[in-house]
Amino acid sequence: YRAALEDYDKRLIISGLRTNQGYLNKTATYMKISKTTLIAKVRKYGLSLDEIKHELLRGKKVNDEFQSQRSLF
């Protein structure tokens, strides 16, 4: 049960970070938790803010390329 709860918590943290472009202050406010708590959870789950931000940039580039190709038709 504990592992399932921690997995759910981790997925919520990742989702919140993605929604807020990896910004800790925005994410903490969005999730209604303190920045200190958020940082502790990021460390606990071994999350990389750089990876999340990079992933978002890659996704944006892929989406931009798709949109530009789509506009050609």
Side-chain angles (χ1 to χ4, degrees), residues 6-57:
E6 286 185 354
D7 183 57
Y8 181 71
D9 190 39
K10 179 180 177 180
R11 286 187 282 132
L12 283 176
I13 297 295
I14 292 169
S15 176
L17 287 165
R18 285 180 179 154
T19 298
N20 293 284
Q21 295 79 39
Y23 292 103
L24 292 173
N25 285 331
K26 285 183 175 182
T27 302
T29 301
Y30 174 77
M31 299 185 75
K32 296 180 175 36
I33 60 175
S34 72
K35 184 178 174 185
T36 304
T37 299
L38 178 59
I39 290 169
K41 288 177 182 269
V42 166
R43 287 181 180 154
K44 175 180 179 180
Y45 299 127
L47 302 176
S48 167
L49 297 177
D50 289 336
E51 280 184 30
I52 290 170
K53 287 180 181 182
H54 185 69
E55 175 186 300
L56 290 167
L57 287 174

